[in-house]
Amino acid sequence: MKNLCNVLSAAALACFTVAVQARAVGYRSPTEFIKPYKRQALQDIVTWDKDTIFVNGERLFLYSGEVHPYRLPVPDLYIDIFQKIKALGYNGVSFYVDWALLEGKPGEYREEGVFNLKPFFEAASEAGIYLLARPGPYINAEVSGGGYPGWIQRVQGLLRTRAKDYLNATDNYMANIGKTIAAAQITNGGPIILVQPENEYTNSNVKPFPDGEYMQYVEDQIRNAGVVVPLISNDASPQGHNAPGTGVGKVDIYGHDGYPVGFDCSNPTVWGDRQLVTDWYTKHLTQSPSTPFSIIEFQGGSFDPWGGPGFEKCLQLVNAQFERVFYKNLYSFGVTILNFYMTFGGTNWGNLGHPGGYTSYDYAAVIAEDRQVNREKYSEQKLQANFFKVSPAYLTASRGSASTKQFTTNPAITVTDATNNSTKFYFVRHTTYNTLDSASYKLTIQTSAFGNTTVPQYNGTSLSLNGRDSKIHVSDYDIGGKTLVYSTAEILTWHKYDDKTVLVVYGGPGETHELVLAVTGLEVLEGDVKSTATRGYTLLNFEADGTRKVAKVGVDDFVYVYMLDRNSAYNYWSVDQGPHSNADAVILKAGYLVRTAKVDGSALVLTGDVNATTPIEILGGAPSGLSKLTFNGEELDFKTSDEGVVSANVDFSKPDLKIPDLSSLDWKYINSLPEIQSSYDDSDWKDADLVKTYNSHRDLNTPKSLYSSDYGYHTGTLLYRGKFTATGAEKTFSIITQGGTAYGSSVWLNDQFLGSWKGLASEYFGTSTFNLPALTANETYTITVVIDNQGLDENWTIGTETAKNPRGIMDYNLDGHDKASVSWKLTGNLGGEDYIDKSRGPLNEGGLYAERQGLHLPGALAADAGWVDSAGPVADGLTKPGIGFFAATFDLNIPGGWDIPLSFTITNSSARAYRAQLYVNGWQYGKYVNNIGPQTRFPVPQGILDYQGTNYLAIALWGHEDGETKLGGLELGVDAVVKTGLGSVGVVKGETYQGRQGAY
Ligand code: IPT
């Protein structure tokens, strides 16, 4: 019966019954549910109509940011991210699950330790954030294989199609992750309100497409696991695939993506003429008119590939201007489910990334990889999200169309309106959306008070729109029972308290703005405000010149209007006291971050972060007769003004930090390429003995398969040893290796270096031909090949099977020899799919000798492993091509109560190509490729680093070329000093060094 859930409505009823019983709520007949549904609902907590979703009957704009828990393997930091997102004014987070990390071996699903999602769910609930779960099984996401475990390469059927063996391969994962998600649904008291099956089921070069049967299979997997909340889709572009309707494979709510400026950050100021879409709302009306207009991923930054320009450039491309112009365009379409990809990117630690990206997945998101929130785009996004929190009329407004004439006489300005009863929103942009020129305009608006009015009205003033800017003006806008007749200044927030109403508005630097309140009685408390008062209305006209203006309007029952310039507005916060209610929001001016605010009797308890001495001003929400004000538990002296504004100061003085100088550590060294020595014993390596590959995507060019995934090696460095008996006539050896873009490989004949493929940013395989020294007839020689696997490719277009692109040796030729006369063995990480270190998952550890031995794990220095003293990777380095492993310990003693992100910086020294991997307490937290770049700074979060103890640091250094290889520098640096309200961050438990049985 369960299998039929959501296929037939009778069965759906049965499923519904199961769900309701599961949450132990009394049975209600389905006919009692809030309507309308397109089909039978399975629960009554998350519902929707054409305008919005409802949660517990309440309409909301699901304003969401993408975060990947697996890119921040420190559970204690989840609350930090959620609070920083909540502080933005968001109410949602969307997350992918990366199957590759959870089922490294077919049939063995592990969701423990850092891969346990429960702490993520708990932190979301604590912060008051709803979740959209996106378990795939295919996710893309710039992760290895697009989320596919490497063993998917052995599946014959086409990926992401109805091929039976493919679908079977997904069953175990989907049943398990489905159960985890189901348990955390809002119907069970958890934070999950929506689930997305598949991801961008949009592009295919095989038919049938879209295949409803396939999509239905994925949906059934999710439903059968007990998921009852609505299913939402994520088309890569608005094509209407699987949108609600008749037939199989339909989702409940249709959604799509948008990345208007793409992913090349090298020309970050160029906005193409046609990158702003104008037709999405009309498409929505034809594709899915019965569901809210939903954008499941909208560009929040950009990824950056190996050799790319770096995230600083992406930060310019997707900056605050981008947010203003592109996001306000979406609001003009009436979007009410909106997720920004990414909001916090994090780190591709431990080989989890795909070859198209490097270690950092900063993404130029609003929250930086090191969790700092000092980017302007964070603040801009906060202004926007906060506005919608207090603008319920937006949710059900009818959407107008873009016009250059209706509201203004300047054709350079385009206005799109939205109307809800008499309330109107005006979304204003440049007609040539990407112009750098500013335009001045007046707006003709409709108000109940004045009919058609051209604003601003105050003598001689007009509005202006700077280049690459966009605004939202309002009229007949309710502020808690009083009417804001219109405002050209944008609204950050407002709140009606028992004793007053606080309204905070802002304008771009230097702009003139005007607002009219249907309230009379004016006292200007601060700054220069031009005003007029007529027939029950007060007009305020101001210049956003950097000085705050405050007006008190009313008699007895006052509205305090704070008029700011945008840069000052960045320092204002509206903090909800309850997880999902802004009924008692506290509005305050502070600094770097405000996390929580809570009234406790006559006390106000604040938590937050400061990076400088910070004046605080509580404009509304403090209890009257405030007795005590605390910030992160410290009591602050405060003053309360005649107007009831509370002010205080949070002091800041930097703690004394001692950050170790890494060059003076007691470094140890071990050779990590013993495999080229004649004495090396490879008897435990796997024989490359498959005459047929499992890989359905690519035939062999070699007599036996040398594809690493055929043998269970899917991650990190791969090693091959090929033995042959010489004729003495061999002159050259050629080889094609494949490791994904920017990979490298090196080849030795016995212990003699033949050469390397040094890697190129955009080449995923390479052909090398090496001259051989004179060989002696009848002697046996060993060719050792080391290949860096950059992760598996994604599988964006169905039918391309790119996730099956093999890694390893694709072909080789030894002159005078039949290929079959070379017998090969290979290894990757110790154990292959039976990976040893369960705590760090199937991908963290590759096949380097030091890794196979577990020497990257804490405690390894005590091992009898042949360590020798060394001056380290900077002073000593390697004297010749090869792979060396350097390790040392250092202590940190960073006081609690501070958030002090640290990062390792590698300085380049050499024109010779090399690559290095950084391990911190056993976690691979950086891959550096000096000849490709761009990343040189590697942030490592607290929790991976032990801030109050001993840390184990290791560097694997692989020199690709003749001559010595050294790092030019290796430093541990402080990226910020922030006094924080974040609680303590525990050190993440990982396996420590134990002698490894059977390691070779
Ligand atoms: C979109 C994917 O859904 C997402 O997983 C990620 O890969 C993102 O791109 C890029 O960072 S696909 C988009 C190009 C339409």
Side-chain angles (χ1 to χ4, degrees):
M1 179 178 67
K2 266 183 129 192
N3 285 349
L4 293 175
C5 289
N6 91 332
V7 180
L8 305 167
S9 59
L13 201 97
C15 299
F16 154 79
T17 310
V18 170
V20 169
Q21 283 164 354
R23 38 179 265 259
V25 175
Y27 178 80
R28 283 166 56 197
S29 137
T31 51
E32 288 174 40
F33 291 152
I34 305 158
K35 296 286 182 188
Y37 290 112
K38 277 291 134 185
R39 56 180 169 178
Q40 188 61 62
L42 304 174
Q43 45 76 42
D44 64 348
I45 294 184
V46 187
T47 60
W48 71 94
D49 66 7
K50 71 175 184 30
D51 291 316
T52 67
I53 55 166
F54 301 77
V55 177
N56 290 316
E58 190 190 330
R59 277 194 190 279
L60 50 100
F61 185 162
L62 183 63
Y63 205 103
S64 161
E66 184 80 12
V67 176
H68 300 150
Y70 54 86
R71 282 184 159 119
L72 180 65
V74 184
D76 284 350
L77 290 176
Y78 293 150
I79 189 68
D80 184 47
I81 300 299
F82 283 121
Q83 286 183 336
K84 284 170 174 167
I85 290 176
K86 178 78 175 172
L88 282 166
Y90 291 31
N91 52 16
V93 157
S94 157
F95 69 100
Y96 279 137
V97 185
D98 186 356
W99 176 15
L101 293 168
L102 302 184
E103 196 178 2
K105 182 178 187 186
E108 287 186 16
Y109 178 85
R110 287 177 204 283
E111 204 190 282
E112 303 136 22
V114 298
F115 305 110
N116 182 354
L117 287 160
K118 285 189 196 80
F120 189 72
F121 300 153
E122 283 160 14
S125 294
E126 186 186 334
I129 291 284
Y130 293 125
L131 295 178
L132 158 58
R134 309 202 297 157
Y138 182 74
I139 59 170
N140 211 61
E142 290 75 70
V143 291
S144 179
Y148 285 142
W151 52 262
I152 209 85
Q153 292 210 340
R154 298 197 301 265
V155 165
Q156 300 300 296
L158 281 183
L159 307 172
R160 307 176 69 189
T161 70
R162 60 165 83 175
K164 197 96 199 84
D165 61 340
Y166 166 69
L167 295 176
N168 289 344
T170 66
D171 281 342
N172 182 46
Y173 163 69
M174 289 301 278
N176 279 289
I177 192 64
K179 222 163 91 194
T180 299
I181 290 171
Q185 291 175 103
I186 193 165
T187 50
N188 294 321
I192 296 175
I193 59 165
L194 294 168
V195 177
Q196 180 198 301
E198 244 284 351
N199 184 58
E200 297 185 318
Y201 185 60
T202 306
N203 295 293
S204 174
N205 54 28
V206 290
K207 298 248 166 7
F209 191 86
D211 181 7
E213 298 278 348
Y214 162 68
M215 195 67 171
Q216 188 62 52
Y217 189 92
V218 182
E219 291 175 22
D220 287 348
Q221 285 177 319
I222 293 171
R223 289 290 187 218
N224 293 345
V227 168
V228 293
V229 294
L231 300 184
I232 191 162
S233 64
N234 178 36
D235 224 350
S237 48
Q239 300 193 33
H241 291 144
N242 309 99
T246 49
V248 285
K250 308 298 182 189
V251 289
D252 297 312
I253 301 174
Y254 173 76
H256 65 79
D257 277 3
Y259 289 86
V261 294
F263 307 103
D264 179 0
C265 303
S266 19
N267 299 297
T269 58
V270 178
W271 288 3
D273 289 342
R274 277 205 274 280
Q275 282 165 324
L276 190 88
V277 293
T278 53
D279 61 351
W280 276 4
Y281 183 59
T282 31
K283 282 195 172 151
H284 165 71
L285 290 180
T286 61
Q287 292 171 343
S288 195
S290 64
T291 65
F293 178 40
S294 307
I295 301 179
I296 308 307
E297 289 176 29
F298 196 78
Q299 184 146 28
S302 174
F303 60 74
D304 191 45
W306 286 101
F311 287 114
E312 283 303 314
K313 284 276 161 57
C314 300
L315 206 47
Q316 288 172 34
L317 180 69
V318 188
N319 59 4
Q321 286 180 324
F322 174 93
E323 294 177 315
R324 288 194 269 274
V325 173
F326 285 88
Y327 299 172
K328 287 178 185 175
N329 187 47
L330 302 180
Y331 311 139
S332 81
F333 303 147
V335 63
T336 61
I337 296 182
L338 177 57
N339 177 49
F340 296 97
Y341 190 104
M342 298 295 299
T343 286
F344 167 74
T347 308
N348 292 322
W349 62 274
N351 302 307
L352 73 80
H354 79 143
Y358 41 91
T359 306
S360 174
Y361 197 68
D362 178 274
Y363 215 87
V366 293
I367 303 175
E369 181 184 10
D370 62 13
R371 298 175 292 103
Q372 286 194 69
V373 290
N374 57 352
R375 296 177 168 173
E376 186 186 354
K377 64 186 293 186
Y378 178 89
S379 302
E380 171 60 34
Q381 188 104 52
K382 181 178 72 172
L383 301 184
Q384 296 182 24
N386 271 284
F387 170 61
F388 290 104
K389 258 175 88 173
V390 296
S391 304
Y394 167 85
L395 300 174
T396 51
S398 60
R399 314 292 158 183
S401 47
S403 166
T404 52
K405 296 199 189 82
Q406 200 185 340
F407 304 101
T408 166
T409 53
N410 184 348
I413 296 285
T414 293
V415 181
T416 308
D417 62 325
T419 311
N420 189 337
N421 293 317
S422 69
T423 303
K424 265 179 150 323
F425 299 84
Y426 309 86
F427 302 93
V428 175
R429 66 166 167 89
H430 286 281
T431 304
T432 305
Y433 92 95
N434 56 357
T435 183
L436 296 168
D437 299 336
S438 66
S440 100
Y441 64 103
K442 288 203 171 223
L443 201 69
T444 303
I445 59 173
Q446 262 242 317
T447 66
S448 312
F450 311 136
N452 270 358
T453 317
T454 298
V455 301
Q457 303 184 76
Y458 196 85
N459 243 350
T461 57
S462 60
L463 305 174
S464 55
L465 186 67
N466 284 322
R468 299 202 171 172
D469 199 357
S470 174
K471 290 184 193 161
I472 309 172
H473 307 309
V474 297
S475 62
D476 276 13
Y477 179 95
D478 173 67
I479 49 168
K482 296 193 173 60
T483 302
L484 181 57
V485 179
Y486 65 85
S487 174
T488 72
E490 290 182 89
I491 295 166
L492 166 55
T493 191
W494 61 266
H495 197 86
K496 181 171 174 14
Y497 297 99
D498 288 345
D499 55 340
K500 63 182 171 188
T501 299
V502 172
L503 169 65
V504 185
V505 301
Y506 64 94
E511 291 169 5
T512 296
H513 284 287
E514 188 171 279
L515 53 154
V516 170
L517 290 154
V519 181
T520 44
L522 170 69
E523 188 184 341
V524 175
L525 301 177
E526 267 179 58
D528 180 16
V529 182
K530 300 188 178 75
S531 64
T532 56
T534 38
R535 299 170 285 123
Y537 301 98
T538 304
L539 177 149
L540 306 169
N541 182 298
F542 71 99
E543 201 189 320
D545 56 7
T547 320
R548 179 167 88 173
K549 333 287 187 239
V550 185
K552 179 180 177 185
V553 189
V555 186
D556 298 336
D557 180 11
F558 297 105
V559 182
Y560 289 83
V561 187
Y562 291 82
M563 289 160 274
L564 312 171
D565 68 289
R566 191 171 56 223
N567 293 333
S568 310
Y570 290 160
N571 288 324
Y572 287 70
W573 306 80
S574 170
V575 187
D576 296 349
Q577 294 192 48
H580 291 290
S581 156
N582 62 0
D584 45 15
V586 176
I587 299 178
L588 73 165
K589 172 178 182 261
Y592 182 77
L593 174 69
V594 183
R595 294 173 185 269
T596 61
K598 192 94 203 149
V599 172
D600 180 7
S602 62
L604 179 61
V605 178
L606 301 175
T607 69
D609 293 18
V610 294
N611 59 3
T613 294
T614 303
I616 291 189
E617 231 183 320
I618 294 137
L619 311 182
S624 59
L626 181 72
S627 64
K628 188 167 151 189
L629 176 66
T630 66
F631 190 85
N632 299 341
E634 269 174 52
E635 212 170 318
L636 304 181
D637 290 337
F638 64 89
K639 284 206 291 277
T640 307
S641 76
D642 295 345
E643 309 297 339
V645 172
V646 175
S647 45
N649 240 331
V650 179
D651 290 331
F652 177 92
S653 56
K654 286 192 179 181
D656 201 13
L657 293 174
K658 285 190 195 63
I659 302 300
D661 165 16
L662 302 183
S663 66
S664 59
L665 303 183
D666 182 13
W667 289 94
K668 302 288 175 200
Y669 172 81
I670 192 167
N671 172 27
S672 188
L673 193 65
E675 296 90 346
I676 61 173
Q677 291 157 14
S678 56
S679 58
Y680 182 78
D681 177 7
D682 65 10
S683 53
D684 286 338
W685 289 32
K686 282 198 180 148
D687 290 321
D689 56 3
L690 289 174
V691 292
K692 194 172 169 336
T693 176
Y694 293 106
N695 195 309
S696 59
H697 172 54
R698 177 158 173 169
D699 290 335
L700 295 181
N701 287 328
T702 52
K704 296 198 174 142
S705 170
L706 297 173
Y707 298 165
S708 67
S709 286
D710 273 340
Y711 303 94
Y713 299 122
H714 313 300
T715 184
T717 315
L718 304 167
L719 288 100
Y720 291 78
R721 296 185 100 217
K723 295 201 180 78
F724 66 94
T725 305
T727 62
E730 297 85 352
K731 293 276 175 299
T732 61
F733 174 68
S734 351
I735 186 165
I736 303 178
T737 53
Q738 179 160 300
T741 44
Y743 87 104
S745 67
S746 297
V747 182
W748 282 263
L749 178 75
N750 292 346
D751 63 355
Q752 190 174 341
F753 178 62
L754 294 183
S756 296
W757 171 263
K758 295 179 277 186
L760 289 167
S762 55
E763 297 294 344
Y764 63 96
F765 70 94
T767 307
S768 316
T769 299
F770 304 112
N771 293 323
L772 298 175
L775 304 190
T776 310
N778 297 322
E779 267 206 26
T780 302
Y781 290 86
T782 303
I783 297 168
T784 302
V785 182
V786 186
I787 305 171
D788 190 12
N789 177 359
Q790 298 276 76
L792 302 179
D793 297 317
E794 294 172 324
N795 209 85
W796 201 60
T797 304
I798 293 147
T800 56
E801 299 292 87
T802 41
K804 289 182 182 168
N805 287 336
R807 299 289 179 254
I809 298 175
M810 302 296 106
D811 202 0
Y812 62 91
N813 190 50
L814 178 64
D815 46 31
H817 281 260
D818 171 14
K819 280 185 197 170
S821 69
V822 185
S823 69
W824 291 95
K825 290 189 147 219
L826 77 158
T827 190
N829 65 301
L830 189 69
E833 289 166 12
D834 286 306
Y835 57 101
I836 311 295
D837 179 0
K838 302 290 190 277
S839 65
R840 297 179 185 83
L843 299 182
N844 183 61
E845 193 175 303
L848 290 176
Y849 171 77
E851 292 175 308
R852 298 191 319 259
Q853 295 289 331
L855 299 179
H856 59 297
L857 300 178
L861 283 177
D864 179 17
W867 295 110
V868 295
D869 290 338
S870 160
V874 176
D876 275 0
L878 309 175
T879 53
K880 55 177 202 246
I883 302 171
F885 195 78
F886 300 85
T889 59
F890 63 86
D891 291 339
L892 288 175
N893 186 8
I894 296 180
W898 291 86
D899 187 3
I900 300 182
L902 301 178
S903 61
F904 292 87
T905 298
I906 296 178
T907 316
N908 194 13
S909 58
S910 167
R912 286 184 210 110
Y914 67 90
R915 46 193 68 213
Q917 287 188 161
L918 168 79
Y919 306 82
V920 179
N921 294 324
W923 307 83
Q924 196 259 75
Y925 242 86
K927 186 189 266 195
Y928 173 70
V929 181
N930 80 321
N931 55 320
I932 298 177
Q935 190 177 2
T936 56
R937 189 177 74 83
F938 298 87
V940 178
Q942 182 177 2
I944 293 301
L945 278 165
D946 183 346
Y947 273 27
Q948 262 134 30
T950 301
N951 291 275
Y952 181 55
L953 170 68
I955 298 275
L957 182 59
W958 173 356
H960 278 311
E961 295 190 71
D962 273 317
E964 61 175 23
T965 296
K966 291 177 177 179
L967 302 185
L970 175 67
E971 272 171 42
L972 181 60
V974 170
D975 293 330
V977 179
V978 176
K979 197 170 168 185
T980 186
L982 173 68
S984 68
V985 178
V987 178
V988 178
K989 286 204 181 64
E991 282 181 24
T992 54
Y993 177 81
Q994 324 268 319
R996 288 186 170 182
Q997 284 290 315
Y1000 43 80

